[in-house]
């Protein structure tokens, strides 16, 4: 039983929160999950960090995360690398051996045409993985080449191609990328356009910064899907969702 159960509070249901693991140790995760394991359900091994660990370490960590019903996946960069080397099948087999149960398909650092992207979605889904795709480029100059119309079309195309969830690129900084300006503020017109022209429950917004988390929760609801949350901010984000911080208190 949670403490202060007698107090009424905002309920959050069917919410998706994606957290970054950038090299956390097993014992740290084990202790932390006792506190925050109920408050996120996707874990991304950032970028290509999985290549730096012994296989047994990844297997043990994935088993631990899965014991809390948390889906785990390597960052999209590794699949981009595998695709560039024509080794996607080998990549998916290795991911399965390591215990990953979700896969991200992105082209943030490479070029993958629409036909190949659709094929990758099919291939990943056929292999039995929860499938996430990501919209956006890592390089801000390249990312700025997308119009909001382009982003909406890409989101809807991925969903039509049966991607389970579409991630809106925000990077770890949350600045000068996607729907964020150079200072990390949300471009409200872009946010509204995506909200009105895509299925919101299928979208995960990378929102590493508090001001972004607050605004997305207030504008899209406390069940908005949020990603790129740092491990030490899981509880903080949950209190925002539940209206337990001044930023969202009595506003939800």
């Amino acid at each position: 039983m949670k403490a202060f159960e007698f107090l009424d509070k905002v309920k959050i249901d069917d919410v998706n929160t994606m957290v970054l693991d950038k090299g956390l140790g097993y014992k740290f995760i084990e202790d932390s999950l006792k506190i925050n394991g109920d408050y996120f359900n996707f874990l991304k091994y950032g970028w290509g960090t999985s290549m730096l660990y012994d296989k047994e370490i990844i297997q043990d960590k994935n088993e631990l995360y899965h014991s809390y019903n948390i889906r785990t996946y390597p960052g999209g960069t590794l699949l981009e690398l595998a695709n560039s080397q024509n080794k996607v099948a080998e990549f998916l087999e290795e991911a399965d051996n390591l215990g990953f149960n979700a896969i991200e398909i992105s082209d943030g650092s490479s070029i993958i045409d629409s036909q190949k992207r659709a094929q990758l979605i099919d291939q990943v889904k056929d292999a039995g993985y929860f499938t996430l795709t990501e919209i956006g480029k890592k390089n801000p100059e390249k990312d700025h080449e997308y119009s909001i119309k382009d982003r909406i079309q890409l989101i809807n195309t991925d969903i039509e191609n049966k991607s389970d969830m579409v991630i809106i690129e925000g990077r770890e900084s949350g600045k000068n990328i996607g729907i964020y300006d150079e200072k990390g503020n949300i471009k409200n017109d872009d946010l509204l356009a995506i909200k009105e022209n895509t299925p919101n429950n299928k979208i995960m917004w990378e929102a590493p910064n508090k001001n972004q988390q607050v605004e997305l929760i207030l504008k899209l609801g406390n069940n908005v899907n949020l990603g790129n949350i740092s491990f030490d901010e899981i509880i903080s984000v949950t209190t925002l969702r539940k209206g337990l911080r001044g930023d969202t208190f009595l506003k939800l």
Side-chain angles (χ1 to χ4, degrees), residues 50 92 102 105 124 139 148 151 166 183 219 226 230-231 249:
S50 301
L92 294 177
I105 299 166
V124 170
N139 184 317
I148 188 60
R151 293 186 200 277
V166 179
K183 295 182 179 180
K219 291 186 174 179
L226 300 176
S230 64
F231 220 87
F249 187 68

Side-chain angles (χ1 to χ4, degrees), residues 39-97:
Y39 303 119
F40 70 105
N41 59 340
F42 286 94
L43 188 286
K44 177 170 71 174
Y45 289 67
W47 319 291
T49 54
S50 301
M51 289 184 68
L52 307 181
Y53 312 145
D54 289 339
K55 293 182 179 182
E56 292 79 8
I57 292 175
I58 298 176
Q59 290 166 340
D60 289 346
K61 287 174 65 171
N62 279 338
E63 184 177 352
L64 180 57
Y65 283 124
H66 295 169
S67 70
Y68 282 83
N69 296 316
I70 297 166
R71 287 190 173 101
T72 60
Y73 64 99
T77 302
L78 281 187
L79 182 57
E80 290 187 56
L81 180 60
N83 180 65
S84 72
Q85 297 179 6
N86 296 313
K87 295 179 179 177
V88 173
E90 294 92 329
F91 170 83
L92 294 177
E93 182 178 0
E94 178 81 327
D96 181 53
N97 291 334

